[in-house]
Amino acid sequence: MGALKLLPLPRVLMGLALTVGCLAVNALPALAVERTGELGDFDCPPGTSLNGLTGVYALYFGGGVVAGLRGLCSSVVAPMISRATSCSAVLVQDPSAPDGTYTLDVAGRRFAVYCRNMQRARRGLVLAPSQYISLPVTGAGENVSEYAAGGASPGTNVTTAYTKIRVNPYPESIRPLTFSVEIADETFSRSSGRLCHSDASTPCPSASAVRSMPYATAFSCDPGGFSGRANIDLSGTPFAVVDSFTAQGASPVGTVKFLSPQVVNLTGGGDCGWEAPALTYNPFDRNPLHDIRRGYDLEIRFDPAAARGRP
């Protein structure tokens, strides 16, 4: 069977019967079906298909998520696209909604997020689901933060690579639509290396042992140098980086280079210094959670034009 083509339909269609292969879903409330591309992904998980067909489609609901559509991806839960403005709002619409990728609509702007702890939130075990932006670009040197070993901090370079970043569901502003990123959330990251922060003692005191780095931070303790490196790459998302970077710490030095509105390279160092967004204190091992913004130090703005490489 060839690829399924779904053409734009009116926003509200009552009593519509949607047939996908041999599966029919009848009387869907306020359903419209559109092709995606600029609106976000609706992908079946790897190795599965949309009832025997492969493709990318979007389902929009004026009245909430229809749970019966989850079976379309070969018995694997499929991402849902709703009119919700946050992961918590998705849960209100569908109390059984699982962790996964959802497309939100905030002030008329649509973008995909990954919702975590959905069912734990429903049971009251946590205050609310956590909300993440997935980072399509990952690999050596991409979406990483580093504390470079050497100088006053012996050991091996500590590097943390991120695949998702946590965003505050409450925007910093609506025009332009701007969100803050919690740089200390390492849920979707992997770290390597270990060093002793500004302490040559052996063994290293536990309070000085560095095992991980927050997002968007470059650090080193090499007087006059700035060997720490970091990279931010939001390519593949509709967001751009807001420049709030500053050199901080003891005799800090560093550089900030925007390769595009979405890609930024950082270096940082000094006697013990770093380059990071906002104002943080010794940003390693989740210390930004103790700053005045509780780690929500990096801002990103919704900017599809920048994402498409337009000025």
Side-chain angles (χ1 to χ4, degrees), residues 46 190 195 246 277 309:
R190 177 175 296 181
L195 59 80
T246 59

Side-chain angles (χ1 to χ4, degrees), residues 22-47:
C22 297
L23 177 64
V25 181
N26 297 306
L28 301 180
L31 171 66
V33 184
E34 299 179 0
R35 291 295 300 274
T36 62
E38 70 280 354
L39 296 181
D41 292 339
F42 184 76
D43 287 310
C44 287

Side-chain angles (χ1 to χ4, degrees), residues 55-80:
V56 182
Y57 308 98
L59 299 171
Y60 294 91
F61 302 90
V65 175
V66 177
L69 291 174
R70 291 187 185 137
L72 294 181
C73 281
S74 301
S75 299
V76 178
V77 172
M80 288 295 167

Side-chain angles (χ1 to χ4, degrees), residues 263-282:
V263 183
V264 187
N265 286 335
L266 308 175
T267 65
D271 287 350
C272 259
W274 58 91
E275 191 79 40
L279 295 176
T280 60
Y281 175 72
N282 280 354

